[in-house]
Amino acid sequence: METIRGKTSLDMDLDQLRARIANHNRIILDLGTGDGKFAFNLADNFPGHFVIGVDSCRENLRGYSRASLPNLLYVIASAQSLPDELTGLVSQVTINFPWGSLLESLLKDDARLMLGLESIMGSGARLEVRLNGGALSEAGWTLEDGAERVRENLSRAGWLIRKSETMDSTSLRNFPSTWAKRLAFGRDPHALMLKCARL
Ligand SMILES: C[S@@+](CC[C@H](N)C(=O)[O-])C[C@H]1O[C@@H](n2cnc3c(N)ncnc32)[C@H](O)[C@@H]1O
């Protein structure tokens, strides 16, 4: 799989990945990581966890991917074609404020995404999705209807929705990702968080 550090891409095979994640008790994957700030924060605050930020767009990752935390890795991949090297390794996936094809795949019950998520997850895996009103309205949905559609699709794909919680401007301001901050101070500071567990 393709990993990135600053402007440099490096190929990493399964043995190299296994060596990097050895001795870490949880593998957390942040899908659609953007500039990678959320992943960086997690890795920095939880040295016992190994954090992998994944995005299809490399340009925004140049800054945070220069960080030399031993428990942090950035991977360039599409959510619809997650690398085989990740199979069965991941304990938790976060998808924060998706847009574009990532949001579309959640709304359309895209098997490439749903089966990909299933294949990278280990047993007892958790999934957290944060959806924002602006991105859903650009995709032609209200926050409530879009979130309901995503809930239905996740349930069909074998996820139990354990918690569904709204996020207002204060919780967005306090959430440690770049996009959350933008949303908090933007025109539509509303989002919805879904916490899911594997059935
Ligand atoms: C609004 S940004 C959110 C970034 C970050 N999660 C945050 O909270 O700051 C959405 C991100 O999803 C990524 N994305 C969209 N479609 C994707 C796909 N199919 N596969 C991987 N990443 C995707 C975009 O490149 C972008 O970085």
Side-chain angles (χ1 to χ4, degrees):
M1 64 184 179
E2 181 186 352
T3 69
I4 187 153
R5 185 137 190 216
K7 287 186 180 172
T8 311
S9 286
L10 287 168
D11 193 50
M12 181 176 277
D13 66 20
L14 185 56
D15 289 338
Q16 291 166 321
L17 178 64
R18 285 211 175 112
R20 278 289 304 271
I21 65 176
N23 306 319
H24 290 90
N25 50 19
R26 283 180 76 73
I27 314 294
I28 302 178
L29 187 136
D30 185 39
L31 188 53
T33 197
D35 66 357
K37 178 180 172 184
F38 179 77
F40 172 86
N41 249 283
L42 267 181
D44 201 25
N45 287 313
F46 298 96
H49 299 351
F50 193 92
V51 185
I52 303 175
V54 176
D55 206 286
S56 49
C57 174
R58 68 193 65 238
E59 277 71 30
N60 293 339
L61 274 170
R62 291 202 170 128
Y64 279 101
S65 70
R66 286 202 177 87
S68 60
L69 294 181
N71 61 332
L72 176 63
L73 183 70
Y74 292 103
V75 171
I76 303 300
S78 142
Q80 293 79 5
S81 179
L82 290 168
D84 290 340
E85 289 83 350
L86 300 173
T87 302
L89 291 181
V90 177
S91 331
Q92 184 175 327
V93 171
T94 50
I95 305 179
N96 295 323
F97 316 112
W99 67 13
S101 65
L102 179 51
L103 179 59
E104 246 173 60
S105 284
L106 286 166
L107 286 165
K108 288 191 175 156
D109 194 10
D110 181 346
R112 294 169 306 162
L113 173 68
M114 298 301 183
L115 294 176
L117 285 176
E118 190 181 332
S119 78
I120 63 169
M121 299 289 203
S123 56
R126 296 271 191 268
L127 170 67
E128 288 183 13
V129 181
R130 292 177 179 83
L131 300 164
N132 64 290
L136 278 167
S137 116
E138 270 176 33
W141 295 80
T142 62
L143 178 57
E144 292 70 25
D145 290 350
E148 184 51 32
R149 173 59 64 92
V150 171
R151 256 190 230 111
E152 286 165 11
N153 290 339
L154 290 173
S155 300
R156 204 169 304 128
W159 292 98
L160 174 70
I161 316 297
R162 291 171 57 240
K163 197 169 173 184
S164 184
E165 209 171 84
T166 53
M167 296 176 80
D168 61 9
S169 57
T170 308
S171 49
L172 285 167
R173 212 166 36 236
N174 293 329
F175 189 79
S177 92
T178 296
W179 207 254
K181 297 280 183 297
R182 280 205 203 185
L183 294 172
F185 295 103
R187 268 184 303 159
D188 189 5
H190 291 102
L192 208 136
M193 185 212 49
L194 305 175
K195 275 195 178 181
C196 318
R198 201 72 202 151
L199 274 176

